[in-house]
Amino acid sequence: MDIRHLITFQTIARLASFTKASEELSYSQSTLTIHIQAIERELNGKVFERIGKNIIITELGKELLSIADVILTAHKKIEMLKKAEFLNESAIKIGAQESVAVYRLQSIINRFQQDNPQVKIIQVLGQKAELTSKLLSSEIDVMCVMQPQQENDNLIAIELAKEKMGIVGTYSQLQMLDDLENQSTVFIYPKSDCSYRKTFDNYLGKYLGNRRNIIEALSIEAIKQSIVINSGISVLPYSTVEIEVASGKMSFFELDLSRDDEVSTQLVYHKNKWFFPLLREFTDYLVHEMSMS
């Protein structure tokens, strides 16, 4: 049965008038009559009776109306999905490492939500391995992480920004790379599952020797605090210490990375992920804003 015919039938039943239904639907009365006749042929019975100037719904019509109300309500929901009206009320769930959330994502999310106040964006913070597990189980829609290359065949990665990696220390402690030879220097490791722990090992490992003064920190902020408190040395992305370097509080010596050690901030999603309209709009915005930074 044609949806248009059911809409015509429902409207006539609600208004109890062909004339009023014609005005509301912008159909001619002859078109309405054709729609109702089509329904009655299919059901082999009358859905309306004319008694004088009155339109009376029959018992068959009442049965059809209860069914039509359900069908047309479902149809309206489908149309809302097509227009993304329903999805605009949904939440976008983004997984992110702390460093990416603080130094890369937050300002972009804030600007997007200023233009789209109805959008709810949930950030799920965690380490790469934890976020990857959530992505594969559809607990999050996408994730943004700093990493060398994406190695999972089920995931697709889009490079958002290359990360300039460097050896970092307080300006008083690290004025030249020769200062790394100082045996009293504290080396501050990122966690073993950190995406650029390998970069740390490759470029600072030769200075470690038999030192005992090594600290392992749990986060970017913990590393930065340890650098300040312990006059330590670490390897960090420039984006995370840009303010401190610009103010002269920290020194930064950029590393000439091999291709295998290059790190970038990436947008990662499952290869079979369906990007509903709102999610597509946000990720397109994210890619554009990152390219401009």
Side-chain angles (χ1 to χ4, degrees):
M1 192 170 290
D2 195 303
I3 286 290
R4 293 174 303 162
H5 297 172
L6 286 178
I7 293 173
T8 294
F9 166 70
Q10 186 190 58
T11 305
I12 294 171
R14 174 168 53 83
L15 299 175
S17 168
F18 273 70
T19 302
K20 292 179 180 178
S22 175
E23 293 172 355
E24 182 171 308
L25 297 173
S26 298
Y27 286 153
S28 66
Q29 289 197 41
S30 60
T31 298
L32 298 188
T33 299
I34 291 170
H35 287 182
I36 297 304
Q37 287 174 345
I39 290 174
E40 291 177 337
R41 281 196 303 272
E42 190 165 344
L43 295 179
N44 196 29
K46 291 285 187 181
V47 293
F48 293 119
E49 288 183 353
R50 290 181 181 271
I51 300 178
K53 294 183 178 181
N54 298 322
I55 300 297
I56 306 298
I57 190 169
T58 65
E59 289 301 317
L60 177 62
K62 290 178 182 178
E63 287 294 324
L64 176 61
L65 183 60
S66 64
I67 297 170
D69 286 343
V70 174
I71 292 173
L72 293 177
T73 297
H75 176 71
K76 183 177 180 181
K77 289 181 178 179
I78 292 171
E79 291 300 307
M80 288 170 66
L81 286 175
K82 286 166 59 178
K83 296 176 181 177
E85 293 173 3
F86 174 79
L87 291 169
N88 279 343
E89 299 176 359
S90 299
I92 298 174
K93 295 181 180 179
I94 305 172
Q97 294 163 316
E98 178 195 21
S99 53
V100 177
V102 173
Y103 300 105
R104 290 290 195 185
L105 272 184
Q106 194 56 58
S107 60
I108 293 174
I109 289 175
N110 290 344
R111 291 196 296 272
F112 184 81
Q113 289 191 305
Q114 285 175 1
D115 295 333
N116 303 273
Q118 81 285 4
V119 177
K120 183 178 182 181
I121 298 179
I122 299 173
Q123 291 188 71
V124 179
L125 302 185
Q127 295 298 321
K128 178 188 170 184
E130 177 187 2
L131 295 174
T132 299
S133 176
K134 290 180 182 295
L135 192 62
L136 291 170
S137 62
S138 297
E139 294 178 58
I140 54 178
D141 295 310
V142 295
M143 71 177 184
C144 289
V145 292
M146 288 183 188
Q147 62 180 5
Q149 295 179 349
Q150 179 53 244
E151 299 173 349
N152 191 308
D153 292 339
N154 290 314
L155 301 179
I156 294 174
I158 298 174
E159 184 177 277
L160 298 175
K162 283 190 179 298
E163 295 295 338
K164 186 165 61 173
M165 303 295 295
I167 299 172
V168 181
T170 58
Y171 185 75
S172 59
Q173 180 75 7
L174 184 65
Q175 298 183 21
M176 59 183 68
L177 290 180
D178 288 345
D179 292 333
L180 295 172
E181 303 285 357
N182 187 336
Q183 289 296 307
S184 66
T185 300
V186 178
F187 283 74
I188 303 162
Y189 266 86
K191 283 187 64 178
S192 58
D193 59 352
C194 174
S195 56
Y196 42 84
R197 172 67 176 261
K198 179 184 173 185
T199 304
F200 183 101
D201 290 334
N202 287 348
Y203 292 87
L204 285 184
K206 61 184 179 182
Y207 295 103
L208 291 176
N210 296 319
R211 296 172 194 251
R212 297 177 182 274
N213 46 351
I214 295 173
I215 298 173
E216 182 174 278
L218 300 179
S219 67
I220 293 283
E221 286 305 309
I223 291 174
K224 289 169 64 174
Q225 288 300 316
S226 292
I227 288 174
V228 173
I229 294 170
N230 299 293
S231 296
I233 304 294
S234 191
V235 171
L236 289 174
Y238 180 72
S239 61
T240 65
V241 292
E242 184 174 0
I243 294 175
E244 289 83 358
V245 172
S247 65
K249 293 180 180 178
M250 290 186 183
S251 53
F252 181 90
F253 291 90
E254 184 175 0
L255 295 171
D256 183 15
L257 300 176
S258 70
R259 184 174 181 80
D260 290 341
D261 289 329
E262 287 180 351
V263 175
S264 61
T265 293
Q266 300 171 18
L267 172 69
V268 184
Y269 58 93
H270 195 282
K271 65 181 182 180
N272 296 326
K273 177 65 180 177
W274 175 61
F275 276 66
F276 53 85
L278 186 59
L279 179 60
R280 173 61 64 191
E281 181 181 352
F282 173 74
T283 53
D284 287 348
Y285 182 83
L286 176 60
V287 172
H288 175 267
E289 292 296 299
M290 282 281 197
S291 69
M292 300 295 289
S293 62

